[in-house]
Every structure is written in structure tokens, then in C-alpha cells.
Amino acid sequence: MSDSVGFWKRLLALILDGIIITLPLSLIFGWITGDWEEDNISTFIDLLYTLIVPILWYGYTVGKRIMGIRIVRIDGKKLGIGTMLLRNLIAGLVYVVTLGIGFIVSMFMVGLRNDHRAIHDFIAGTYVTSNKP
């Protein structure tokens, strides 16, 4: 895991995903439904994006691909739905239950740990790397 990626590249990939995927989805569904406050459809599609695209695209999302980084499993096996559910849903639940404290701790972990793994990486057995598939 010496090739694991730190805080800034991961943050920029997340921001790029937000600008390229999440924001347009919100705008499109807001325009279609006329409801700019209840954004359940685009939130659901965004969730599917974060769960499925890395499975189909060797650990990449659009933002991660632009940044040249990807999610991989520690054991070297291919990402699957179970891994991505652990990484996104279960870890998200941990962040909510801890009232965001877990998320803040994760940011420090990514920035300060040598392996740059966050809580969601530990839960799912993953890390983010700059290696190609």
C-alpha cells in the first residue's frame, strides 16, 4: 500500500464527481420534477453511481479517473457489490451515527496515516491507489 493516495487527490476527485455527476443530476431532476427541495431521485441515482461504477470500471469513478486514482481491495480481488455497500452505506451509517465525528476522524486518517486509509476503507477492506488496473 505504499502507493496509496492522500487527502488532496481524494478530495479533488470527490469534488469533480460532485461537479460532473451529482450537480447535473440534481439540476436535471429538479427541472423535470419542478421540485428543487426534495431530490430523492437524483440522490438515489448518485448512490447507484457510487456503488456500481467502481465495480464496472476497475475502482474508478469519473472524478477518480480524472485524478488517476482508484479504489482497490487490500486482498487484490475485484471490487464487488458487498465491498462497495460496506464502503458507502455502512460507513455512511457510521458517519451519521457519530454525528459527523467519524467523517472528521476519517479526513485526519487520510491526511496523517502512512497508508492514507479512512474509516470506510477499513470497514470495506479497501484503499485508494494511483496504480493502473
Side-chain angles (χ1 to χ4, degrees), residues 13 17 59-71 128:
D17 275 330
Y60 292 108
T61 62
V62 172
K64 283 181 174 60
R65 184 66 173 221
I66 292 168
M67 293 305 300
I69 64 177
R70 67 190 189 101
I71 305 163
V128 177

Side-chain angles (χ1 to χ4, degrees), residues 10-76:
R10 289 173 71 152
L11 178 62
L12 190 51
L14 183 64
I15 290 169
L16 287 170
D17 275 330
I19 293 169
I20 296 168
I21 303 297
T22 306
L23 180 62
L25 277 175
S26 295
L27 293 174
I28 290 166
F29 283 103
W31 180 69
I32 289 171
T33 64
D35 188 356
W36 296 95
E37 294 182 27
E38 293 295 324
D39 204 11
N40 296 331
I41 297 171
S42 66
T43 300
F44 178 71
I45 292 173
D46 191 52
L47 175 64
L48 289 178
Y49 166 78
T50 60
L51 289 174
I52 295 172
V53 170
I55 295 169
L56 300 176
W57 207 12
Y58 304 103
Y60 292 108
T61 62
V62 172
K64 283 181 174 60
R65 184 66 173 221
I66 292 168
M67 293 305 300
I69 64 177
R70 67 190 189 101
I71 305 163
V72 295
R73 285 180 40 159
I74 295 245
D75 62 10

Side-chain angles (χ1 to χ4, degrees), residues 77-126:
K77 293 181 181 176
K78 188 176 184 308
L79 290 176
I81 192 67
T83 300
M84 294 311 296
L85 284 169
L86 286 171
R87 184 177 166 85
N88 292 308
L89 293 182
I90 303 303
L93 184 61
V94 168
Y95 295 154
V96 168
V97 168
T98 62
L99 304 175
I101 294 170
F103 182 73
I104 294 167
V105 169
S106 278
M107 288 189 302
F108 278 101
M109 289 171 66
V110 171
L112 300 174
R113 289 178 53 91
N114 288 333
D115 64 3
H116 303 291
R117 292 176 71 206
I119 291 171
H120 57 268
D121 289 311
F122 280 97
I123 291 171
T126 61

